[in-house]
Amino acid sequence: KEISFDPRSLLGSYVPPLLISRPILSQSTDFEDVVVPYCGCHSVAHVLVASGMFPTAPVVPRIAISIDLLEFYSALFERSGDAVTALARALRNLYSKRGWRALDQSGWPVLDPFRKPIGHAVQWYDALRTAVERHVEDTIDNARKIIANHLDRSQGTSVLPISAQPSSTPPLSAQPSSTPPRSAQPSSTPPLSAQPHSTPPLSPPTPLLLECASILQRRCPACFGGGTFGRRFPEGGDIVVALDGNFSHRHLRSSGDSPHFYEPEFFIPKATVDAVGSWLDGQRKKPSNKSYKPKVPDEAIDTCESGHEAANEQKAKTNGDRFDDTGIMALVCGHDIPIFLANIDSPGEQQKYAFSLIFTLFAYLPQAATVTALYDIACKSDRSNGRHDLLPLWISERLQWAVSVMHAYRHEWACQLVYNPRLREGLGLRDGEGVERLWSRLRVFIPITRTSGRSRRIWILDRQVRALAYEMRDHLGAYIVRRLKTGVKRQSAAAKAILQGTSQSIGTLRQEWEAQRITQLSVRAHAPARLRREVDAVIALQADIERVEYAIEGIRTQFRENRSSSESSGILARLFRTSADLSDKVDSLYTSLNVANTFPELKGLHINFVRMLLLTRDIKINIRKRVTAQLLEFDRLDRAAGGRSNPLGTKMHQITRKAISKRQPGILNSIRKFNKYCVALKDAVKTYHVPQTFPVPHQLSTNLGELRDDPNLYEDVWISSPPIQTTPKWLEDASVRCGIRAMLKLDRCDEEEQRLKFECENLQRWFGRELAATKLALRLSNSE
């Protein structure tokens, strides 16, 4: 039957009757009576949805929102964040200007009549959209299964369907006896929270996958859409991912929680993270692996660990009493597309979050797939895994670690030789900074999610990440073309120009580079931790004395300009002499450490040369730490350059500039002192009859901008002679050193070009199958 109903009855007391009956209102401000088919067997909510309106309550709705408006808000939500309050107030102001004011039952104006209704409608309309999208995906998955079976029969192979989801808790002894038929596999991809996660997967998923799971292929077909796996690590592996955490996306404990209404697609469950954390704790309590051979000397990794806050799991980055969720950690593919996220609910950046993401990724990969993971503390993670077997063998033998590019120069040079993607074979131009770019896109949600309900925070971030992921997936073709033109071609041409200007062949440069890596990874190139701490204390004392000397010199200049009294000048002169005496005593204190006894290779050399050499070495280490810290501060000031990012606030800008100006004189004084020692060492080689093959350090530029790209900054001062009798070319010939850098850049460009071609093939393969599956799903739906 058809009935006529007045929408004003759904609005109730929100609309004053006096205003409804005013005849002077224009047609655009009048209510409109709508006639819709209605049956008593259907609820009002069904009737409203069928007429293009979405109710704000499931049983007795008082307001209904246009579905077109909700679709528009969904598009706005993906660009600007949770704007329910803004939309509600805009509607209130619009209706007020047109003469419609919302009143309560007592006749008083309602200050915010639309915020809660619109918020409820947005939340539950999105839940309905999510259910529809997952149902559509199930239908397409069934079509994928039919197409894959057809391809198997035509090719005579038996391949597990890409939509099959692996079990996350197989027994340790589970070994597949045979590949099950396609009909035995599930046809859909359930949410991550629907999987059992009581323990981490300690053995390969059963049944074995020969292609990546559908959930991965849909997120980045260029990385996961291929059909062949097993590329060696020197070729970069099959897949490159990056991990990092962000502690700005915190949640206030006082904001509370809201009822659970959404199953996230990208966030892995807390049960999975906690299970991985328990597994890691149990592994650390076991005896360490005696057969493990570190790739980098432990002294170098210890220094890297002390220089990164993320490496200290016990250090609290947020107030645990004030915040219940302290951040998020993300895993992105090589095209910056987010794959999985983990919610951080502990004060520090514990290893369980990164490892839980790794566990989850490998649960959806074929057994032959190899992965390279870029992480800012990859050196520590790799060493921890090697010592304690934190990852099962079926994962660790298919995983290699590397350090993200922007964090690489905070690591020791020996660590960079192994983990820097620009120096490591096979990784092309991948920088591992895709997670940082993801944080940049999500920064607008920091204030919104901090005060939202706990479940609503996960919903907002998960839906935003989903929108970003699928938008970036749709532009993968443009990304690859842009990467090839502006990245590979341009940098390759610059590297070839440098190589043409050098007299060395590519073969010679490769030999010199290999010799440099072997020599600089020697354990004897690094001082013991105890000695390093003592020397650092002496260097810090020397730096304090140099700052006092700088201040005294400034006061002396000011007094000289103001023609102060002779008594004041005499006091300043005595202060200056006292400072000089203190500096001499610091040198004596350094000599008393008997550092030369630690290095037998230096026996037979004059004690003054040894003391000067070791002091120069430790000064350079101190300079490197201070310069890299200063470069990070300069990066913060340069955020707004070219409009790449938001500039710092005025207060933070002033604080950063003040900190730079305060530390810069001390850094320059240390560089000048280091350069003075370099000159003295060259003279000491002749004076004390040091072998000519002994490598003498090169001077550093006092221009901090030039030091950023100066490889001399990251190389330690040699404390032993090279094993060969002649000084290697990579150490003494500047053209060889420049040629090595150009050769490495050209290698990375060639590798990147090959990877881009490989990803284009994956993208075309996935698109062809996806197009066929979509068409088949439409036909099957129409026939039903």
Side-chain angles (χ1 to χ4, degrees), residues 192 215-216 219 224 242-244 265-268 329-333 337-342 356-364 438-439 465:
L192 293 175
I215 186 175
L216 297 180
R219 291 177 184 176
F224 305 104
L243 306 95
D244 197 10
E265 297 182 30
F266 287 81
F267 278 91
I268 61 178
M329 176 166 281
L331 182 146
V332 303
C333 72
I337 299 176
I339 306 300
F340 297 118
L341 281 78
S356 62
L357 292 171
I358 294 293
F359 269 109
T360 305
L361 175 66
F362 273 87
Y364 293 100
L438 175 64
W439 302 145
V465 168

Side-chain angles (χ1 to χ4, degrees), residues 251-328:
H251 179 260
L252 287 169
R253 190 181 297 273
S254 58
S255 298
D257 199 356
S258 58
H260 182 76
F261 64 93
Y262 176 73
E263 297 294 342
E265 297 182 30
F266 287 81
F267 278 91
I268 61 178
K270 174 178 170 57
T272 299
V273 178
D274 293 340
V276 172
S278 300
W279 160 260
L280 298 182
D281 293 338
Q283 291 298 107
R284 293 191 185 102
K285 294 177 182 178
K286 297 179 181 180
S288 60
N289 187 1
K290 302 297 183 181
S291 61
Y292 170 69
K293 295 181 180 180
K295 303 173 184 176
V296 177
D298 288 334
E299 291 79 10
I301 297 183
D302 291 339
T303 304
C304 298
E305 184 176 352
S306 62
H308 287 80
E309 292 184 358
N312 187 356
E313 296 187 3
Q314 306 303 323
K315 183 173 182 179
K317 296 187 177 182
T318 56
N319 188 344
D321 297 331
R322 188 181 179 191
F323 301 98
D324 47 11
D325 292 328
T326 56
I328 53 178

Side-chain angles (χ1 to χ4, degrees), residues 745-756:
K745 175 65 72 173
L746 184 61
D747 289 344
R748 301 295 86 80
C749 290
D750 293 341
E751 294 164 359
E752 182 71 13
E753 185 173 2
Q754 292 300 320
R755 182 171 289 274
L756 290 176

Side-chain angles (χ1 to χ4, degrees), residues 437-469:
R437 290 184 278 270
L438 175 64
W439 302 145
S440 177
R441 296 184 179 100
L442 294 178
R443 66 180 182 269
V444 66
F445 303 101
I446 292 176
I448 298 172
T449 56
R450 187 163 296 181
T451 56
S452 300
R454 204 172 182 184
S455 298
R456 186 176 178 85
R457 167 180 172 268
I458 296 295
W459 169 68
I460 291 175
L461 292 175
D462 193 82
R463 297 301 286 175
Q464 287 295 325
V465 168
R466 182 185 186 279
L468 289 173

Side-chain angles (χ1 to χ4, degrees), residues 372-512:
T372 299
L374 290 96
Y375 190 25
D376 54 354
I377 53 172
C379 55
K380 180 193 174 183
S381 299
D382 194 12
R383 184 178 67 172
S384 299
N385 180 49
R387 283 181 174 179
H388 304 289
D389 296 327
L390 301 182
L391 293 172
L393 183 62
W394 70 277
I395 291 181
S396 59
E397 66 183 4
R398 297 157 49 202
L399 174 68
Q400 72 169 351
W401 295 89
V403 177
S404 52
V405 169
M406 289 298 295
H407 292 83
Y409 65 85
R410 293 294 304 271
H411 289 253
E412 292 293 300
W413 178 249
C415 180
Q416 294 189 46
L417 289 174
V418 175
Y419 294 103
N420 191 333
R422 293 294 181 264
L423 306 178
R424 187 161 188 166
E425 187 179 5
L427 295 183
L429 299 178
R430 304 301 159 104
D431 56 8
E433 298 298 333
V435 188
E436 298 294 340
R437 290 184 278 270
L438 175 64
W439 302 145
S440 177
R441 296 184 179 100
L442 294 178
R443 66 180 182 269
V444 66
F445 303 101
I446 292 176
I448 298 172
T449 56
R450 187 163 296 181
T451 56
S452 300
R454 204 172 182 184
S455 298
R456 186 176 178 85
R457 167 180 172 268
I458 296 295
W459 169 68
I460 291 175
L461 292 175
D462 193 82
R463 297 301 286 175
Q464 287 295 325
V465 168
R466 182 185 186 279
L468 289 173
Y470 289 126
E471 179 185 5
M472 297 170 71
R473 182 196 66 182
D474 294 342
H475 293 86
L476 273 175
Y479 173 92
I480 293 175
V481 172
R482 183 174 64 253
R483 187 83 171 178
L484 183 62
K485 288 183 178 180
T486 62
V488 175
K489 299 300 183 183
R490 184 179 302 173
Q491 297 187 43
S492 177
K496 289 179 180 178
I498 295 175
L499 289 174
Q500 290 175 357
T502 182
S503 59
Q504 305 294 332
S505 64
I506 295 293
T508 302
L509 293 177
R510 294 196 187 281
Q511 294 176 359
E512 293 294 329

